[in-house]
Amino acid sequence: MKTAEIKRRFLAHFEANGHTVVPSAPLPAIDDPNLLFINAGMVQFVPYFLGQRTPAFSRAVSVQKCIRTPDIDEVGKTSRHGTFFQMNGNFSFGDYFKEEAIRLAWELSTNPIEKGGFGLDPERIWPTVYLDDDEAFGMWQAIGVPAERIVRRGKKDNWWHMGIAGPGGTCSELFYDRGPEYGAEGGPEVDEDRYMEYWNLVFMQYEITDVKSKEVFTIVEDLPKKNIDTGMGLERVASILQGVDNLYEIDEVKPILARAAELTGKTYGAHSGHEAGKSHPDDVRLRVIADHVRTALMLIGDGVTPSNEGRGYVLRRIMRRAIRSMRLLGWEAPALPELLPVARDCMSPSYPELATDFERISKYAYAEEETFLSTLRAGETILDTAITDAKKSGGSKLGGAQAFQLHDTYGFPIDLTLEIAAEKGLEVDQEGFRRLMADQRNRAKADAAARKTGHADLSAYRTVLDAGGPIEFTGYQEVTRESR
Ligand code: ATP
Ligand code: MG
Ligand code: MG
Ligand code: MG
């Protein structure tokens, strides 16, 4: 089943059950000072959950574009983490609660394909519940899941909150058993790759504060109303229904991976079995490339442009990682002109604006790659020499001065130096690097201060003085008088 069809069925199922279809919010989380990017379907509904605003509907359904940069190190290594993904979600604002949320999720998961469902084998679904949530446990039993497949888990997995003060509650997650070829038996507690989480049902009923960690926080009070917030990973369900090993092999991602493999002359999957974590490094790189190119497309599509701070910096790092991965696989020419159009063709059936806006999107992307490639060309040889020298002299560290020079003279970002050095088995003297950066900052500050107090180069004014004689500066008095 195509990803677009899974999305369509999800929306249709919940629409038929009284939910209003709400479009995805754009990726930049502009209304939320605590978030750079939307990372879940519920984010755009927070004011409704907190009772601060009243929605025009009590049930909603959406397919939200999400970015999760904290998952970046998992990309390509697990079978289920993308930096960009789409979260299908159904929401109840003080309308239905646990029982109906469980029933609606179960029906869509297990209803036969010809009846509009996903046709998942009920015997492969493992629900989890919070430790003492006997209510949810009983509801799963009533629906037909045997007790031995319902797993009780603690706060780390089955208590949901946003990581900051706000709404929260216990949750129940659905895991799908992909079979023995994907790992060890025994349920999600044993192997979260074989048993893949695909849907999280949050029973949101508290307002919490003092959030110290996932597991340490204080419940302030009950929310004005009980709510439901669910998130189903569209790509994860696609990987199940398309019978592929991971989400980089689904219809919306695989063509990018295949093109990258073709360009670099690598045979994807030549060395890998089904299990994640046992992949050949080349395969991991190809997955990273496919994921990151798609993420870059979606981010620029939503108005983010590469820069040195905030959202733009996240985009820049993601793009650079994709470009470097292509180089590490042996492709030295610009890669994005080859890969970005493929990503566009994968995603534009669901997001037609990517096609109509492609000229703008690609202009930013290709320009960024050009700049980065010239930085790389300038710095890479110098870095390589420094690394070889460090190794020759028996050290395991690259000097702070060299890292600083690379940064200062060649615009080589420190994270890139760290990454390349690590690949060659070297550490970087970060202490030393930071000291030199601080010295430079202090010098810049001193210069600026000197300019302010006038102890700077005043030769430009000498001609004025020579020509017209001294002028009495009355600015301070005048301004003071005026402001009185
Ligand atoms: P995991 O434990 O596998 O990292 P999660 O518990 O962090 O997932 P949730 O926060 O519960 O995920 O998000 C809801 C759903 O969104 C998940 O059940 C999953 O299907 C999907 N999802 C979460 N993170 C990702 C990701 N990085 N890439 C793709 N899908 C994701
Ligand atoms: Mg996660
Ligand atoms: Mg989880
Ligand atoms: Mg979860």
Side-chain angles (χ1 to χ4, degrees), residues 68 71 80-81 197 236:
R68 287 198 182 178
D71 285 347
R80 63 184 199 282
H81 291 101
E197 174 188 335
R236 292 192 186 181

Side-chain angles (χ1 to χ4, degrees), residues 80 153 156-157 173 175 192 197 200 236:
R80 63 184 199 282
R153 297 180 105 181
K156 186 165 85 64
D157 299 289
E173 298 191 316
F175 287 75
E192 283 211 15
E197 174 188 335
N200 187 359
R236 292 192 186 181

